Amino acid sequence: MFKNRGTSSTLGGNSITPRRVKSNYIDRLLFDVIEAHVEGASSFTRLRNLIGIRLGRNSGLRAHEVTLPGNFDTRKLRSLIAEMHVRGETALEVYILSRKGQKGRSIVIRKRDVALIERFLTGPRSKRPEGDLLCRDDGLSFAIGSTPASGWFRSALVAAMPVLLQKYQDFCRNPSRKFIVAKDALGSLGFHSGRHSYATDLVSEAYEAGTDPKHLLLLRLGHQKPTTLSAYITVEATACGRDIGRANFDIAEGVI
């Protein structure tokens, strides 16, 4: 069931195609089960791992970005969250850097995840020195280039697999589903699958807001290749029953 995947996601290095994106889509129904099985030896490690996994699926981060030193400094986060509350907002915008091309971008952390981060900051994380939010147990930063978040996701997926398999048909019949991957593809999901899923959902958000999905994908994920952007648009159209042929945006043809 489980395929061998290295800590540096194999999804990050090859071209992104509609078939590849679709086979890595983590529907919200599946993600709820996976995150419910996040494990940790302490409340610190469990909350840290959960935040890391959510940042991938809910904000589109790569595995190395969630623990890259400086991206989520606790002092900066406390200040940004305080300012967010003063403005009466519920989502947090944070500027991060990526080792991929040394590029930066702003990512959005939404209300539910902001609340979890606040709980972490005022709870287990407060017992360690200020610094990177998702740090090691001893409070030190993870090594640059390391991807511990990939392991956090993999452990949660392994623990969740019995439930995912048992309830698979229920997921497929659930009217609130967007798209459920094939059963034999469940074991191949990885942390980077969350980024693909976030990007696909971002396309729907753009259409609902009446904006160009390519612009939003570029803004939130930093993708620039037309084929990459088109892959997400194509998969979203297939999952939502959208008429690709009538879209106002260029979409690469491809069999999914």
Side-chain angles (χ1 to χ4, degrees), residues 23-87:
S23 65
N24 279 277
Y25 184 77
I26 308 175
D27 191 275
R28 288 291 175 187
L29 297 172
L30 303 184
F31 188 72
D32 286 347
V33 175
I34 294 171
E35 73 167 15
H37 286 79
V38 171
E39 301 171 336
S42 64
S43 59
F44 170 82
T45 55
R46 184 184 181 280
L47 284 177
R48 178 198 64 191
N49 297 359
L50 179 57
I51 291 170
I53 289 172
R54 283 192 183 180
L55 286 174
R57 177 60 180 87
N58 299 340
S59 296
L61 272 71
R62 300 177 178 92
H64 81 271
E65 293 172 345
V66 302
T67 53
L68 187 66
N71 269 351
F72 297 101
D73 181 80
T74 53
R75 288 154 294 201
K76 181 176 73 172
L77 281 173
R78 293 180 200 278
S79 176
L80 289 174
I81 291 173
E83 293 172 6
M84 179 197 76
H85 288 312
V86 169
R87 292 192 299 267

Side-chain angles (χ1 to χ4, degrees), residues 1-182:
M1 173 61 72
F2 289 97
K3 294 182 180 180
N4 183 25
R5 301 171 71 96
T7 53
S8 59
S9 173
T10 56
L11 286 170
N14 302 320
S15 61
I16 297 174
T17 64
R19 184 189 297 275
R20 186 177 173 201
V21 170
K22 190 175 181 181
S23 65
N24 279 277
Y25 184 77
I26 308 175
D27 191 275
R28 288 291 175 187
L29 297 172
L30 303 184
F31 188 72
D32 286 347
V33 175
I34 294 171
E35 73 167 15
H37 286 79
V38 171
E39 301 171 336
S42 64
S43 59
F44 170 82
T45 55
R46 184 184 181 280
L47 284 177
R48 178 198 64 191
N49 297 359
L50 179 57
I51 291 170
I53 289 172
R54 283 192 183 180
L55 286 174
R57 177 60 180 87
N58 299 340
S59 296
L61 272 71
R62 300 177 178 92
H64 81 271
E65 293 172 345
V66 302
T67 53
L68 187 66
N71 269 351
F72 297 101
D73 181 80
T74 53
R75 288 154 294 201
K76 181 176 73 172
L77 281 173
R78 293 180 200 278
S79 176
L80 289 174
I81 291 173
E83 293 172 6
M84 179 197 76
H85 288 312
V86 169
R87 292 192 299 267
E89 298 172 350
T90 57
L92 189 67
E93 188 167 316
V94 180
Y95 187 81
I96 67 165
L97 293 175
S98 175
R99 291 186 70 247
K100 186 172 183 179
Q102 301 299 321
K103 295 179 295 185
R105 70 183 188 281
S106 291
I107 60 106
V108 174
I109 304 175
R110 302 188 183 179
K111 182 178 180 179
R112 183 166 169 255
D113 295 336
V114 171
L116 185 65
I117 289 173
E118 285 188 282
R119 177 183 161 196
F120 188 51
L121 284 171
T122 58
R125 184 63 184 81
S126 67
K127 297 178 175 61
R128 290 161 176 80
E130 298 280 16
D132 292 307
L133 178 71
L134 306 184
C135 61
R136 299 182 341 190
D137 290 3
D138 57 9
L140 298 177
S141 300
F142 285 99
I144 295 177
S146 64
T147 56
S150 295
W152 303 342
F153 180 91
R154 176 55 47 175
S155 295
L157 180 65
V158 171
M161 190 57 67
V163 177
L164 293 176
L165 294 175
Q166 180 185 2
K167 296 185 176 181
Y168 184 79
Q169 293 304 323
D170 294 334
F171 296 139
C172 293
R173 290 190 291 263
N174 193 312
S176 67
R177 76 190 185 285
K178 187 167 189 175
F179 173 76
I180 305 297
V181 298

Side-chain angles (χ1 to χ4, degrees), residues 15-21 203 207 212-214 217 224-238 242-256:
S15 61
I16 297 174
T17 64
R19 184 189 297 275
R20 186 177 173 201
V21 170
V203 175
Y207 282 131
D212 187 337
K214 290 184 178 179
L217 288 169
Q224 295 184 11
K225 292 183 179 179
T227 53
T228 298
L229 303 180
S230 296
Y232 294 129
I233 295 172
T234 301
V235 171
E236 190 274 347
T238 302
R242 204 181 302 280
D243 186 353
I244 300 178
R246 295 186 178 182
N248 294 321
F249 312 108
D250 292 330
I251 298 174
E253 294 181 357
V255 178
I256 302 178

